[in-house]
Amino acid sequence: MDRRIWLLAWAQFASATGAYAFTGLIARLGADLGVSLATAGQLAAVYALTFAIAGPPIAALTARADRRLLLTLGLGLIGALNLATALVPDFGTALVLRVATALAASLVLPAVAASMLVPVEQRGRAIATVMAGLTLAFSLGIPLGTAIGGAVGWRGTFIFSGLLALSAALAVRVGLPALPSTDRGGAGSLGIAFKPAILRVLGTSWLAFAGLFCIAAYLGPIVTATTEIEGSGIGAIQVFVGLGSILGIWFGGRLAESSGARVPVRLFLVLAAALVGYSLLLGLPPALWHAVPLSLLVFAGSASLFALAPLVQARLMGLAPQDRAVALALNGAVIFAGQGTGAAYGGAIIAGWGLVWTGLAGSMLALAGAVLAVRAFARPPAKAIA
């Protein structure tokens, strides 16, 4: 596989780190800028909402542009805007800059560029390699940014994120060739969002993330309820999210070109089984040794979710070869929507029936995903959408 794919993984790493590295320092940031914790949290919420809403239209408007140019521009803007955020005098300015950063991030679609550097039969592995940058962001980049902020202040985290994005922009500009787009772009390309074949694949992505985030959004309380571990000890369990995602990306990348719905259906079933396992553990009296099965459940859920991700992206690009950027932007919006609706669904279950039922509630979504995957990934492949 083309070694230049690793430059695109670096771009993904830098973009994701810049998006979330500051979240571990929200309380300190809010106190410094004179706002409540709840208000400071809107910096993350407004970023996600802006990216989800603006991503597909921006992808359509810029679809015909050279991909190297868009990556360099997007990463450069992310770097400059993060550096600017390190200097903000008030919360309002920070909020505006986070909106602008999300708009810049919508230009950064390294998986599209990766698909242009490799033959079709290597597309799944290339996408998985790019997504490895995302998993490294969550397991390395974001914790490192948080640690830097803990040592020198939250402004240091934004400086770190800014310099990281600028280094990725330089690497992409120097290390990649020009990548003229073959996407058609324009308003017409947004029409793929209403095509049944595309909607089915996007639906599987939404169900996977919504199902897992019934649990993921409340992992801290779940760890404490099942093991009585609190504080920094929760982080030891969270490590298995990163480990599972790394294995999942590796596994999914090698199976992205496999025929039929068998692989995605089985991954959904693994996810459903892991989610049921949470409810079984929550139904038992808490015990420290539960940390072992809980870690395995965290690992299995993360691995199955991230193994599905390359399959979804490869399928979308296969269905819409002239609208790859829009297809992946739509998937990004769906992922954010899945995270939000899953957390809200889990919260409603907790309020109505208690924490113990969150796993079963999430498993129902995962099983629905397995059913939908039978159609969404059916072979022979659906006709490419014009």
Side-chain angles (χ1 to χ4, degrees):
M1 188 174 65
D2 196 316
R3 293 182 179 179
R4 292 172 296 184
I5 299 297
W6 290 104
L7 294 177
L8 297 170
W10 179 253
Q12 186 71 75
F13 173 80
S15 179
T17 298
Y20 296 109
F22 75 95
T23 55
L25 302 159
I26 281 289
R28 191 178 299 184
L29 182 154
D32 192 28
L33 296 180
V35 298
S36 68
L37 176 61
T39 300
Q42 297 307 306
L43 288 178
V46 75
Y47 181 97
L49 186 62
T50 301
F51 187 93
I53 294 174
I58 288 177
L61 289 172
T62 60
R64 296 177 184 174
D66 182 273
R67 302 318 301 185
R68 184 182 66 174
L69 173 63
L70 288 179
L71 283 168
T72 304
L73 177 61
L75 289 164
L77 287 172
I78 290 171
L81 290 165
N82 272 292
L83 293 177
T85 307
L87 305 173
V88 295
D90 54 62
F91 179 76
T93 304
L95 197 66
V96 170
L97 287 174
R98 290 314 290 170
V99 170
T101 305
L103 294 175
S106 66
L107 298 175
V108 181
L109 295 172
V112 177
S115 72
M116 300 169 69
L117 288 173
V118 298
V120 173
E121 61 271 15
Q122 295 182 9
R123 181 181 292 167
R125 291 183 61 192
I127 293 172
T129 301
V130 170
M131 291 194 66
L134 180 63
T135 65
L136 285 174
F138 282 100
S139 59
L140 177 63
I142 293 171
L144 180 58
T146 301
I148 290 172
V152 303
W154 62 268
R155 295 180 189 273
T157 298
F158 282 104
I159 292 173
F160 164 72
S161 299
L163 294 176
L164 192 63
L166 290 175
S167 72
L170 180 61
V172 165
R173 180 62 183 83
V174 173
L176 291 183
L179 295 170
S181 176
T182 57
D183 284 12
R184 59 177 173 169
S189 63
L190 287 173
I192 66 169
F194 304 102
K195 301 295 184 179
I198 294 291
L199 286 173
R200 284 193 289 268
V201 179
L202 292 175
T204 63
S205 188
W206 177 78
L207 287 166
F209 277 89
L212 187 62
F213 267 74
C214 286
I215 287 293
Y218 307 98
L219 186 57
I222 288 170
V223 172
T224 302
T226 55
T227 67
E228 296 187 325
I229 294 174
E230 297 180 339
S232 59
I234 294 173
I237 304 294
Q238 291 176 320
V239 166
F240 287 89
V241 175
L243 294 176
S245 66
I246 291 171
L247 177 66
I249 288 292
W250 177 86
F251 184 75
R254 278 151 182 76
L255 295 175
E257 279 79 39
S258 60
S259 297
R262 181 184 59 176
V263 171
V265 167
R266 289 182 177 179
L267 290 172
F268 267 111
L269 293 177
V270 172
L271 177 58
L275 292 169
V276 170
Y278 283 102
S279 285
L280 293 176
L281 269 183
L282 286 164
L284 299 173
L288 183 59
W289 70 268
H290 288 168
V292 175
L294 180 62
S295 297
L296 292 175
L297 292 175
V298 171
F299 179 87
S302 177
S304 57
L305 179 69
F306 278 89
L308 276 165
L311 275 68
V312 167
Q313 293 197 31
R315 183 66 168 172
L316 286 171
M317 287 196 283
L319 289 171
Q322 292 182 307
D323 300 299
R324 290 172 292 184
V326 172
L328 294 191
L330 286 168
N331 188 53
V334 165
I335 287 173
F336 277 113
Q339 292 172 357
T341 54
Y345 176 43
I349 294 297
I350 292 170
W353 292 279
L355 191 63
V356 68
W357 293 99
T358 50
L360 284 172
S363 71
M364 295 300 102
L365 297 180
L367 289 173
V371 173
L372 182 59
V374 173
R375 290 284 311 277
F377 292 89
R379 298 289 184 178
K383 184 180 179 181
I385 295 172

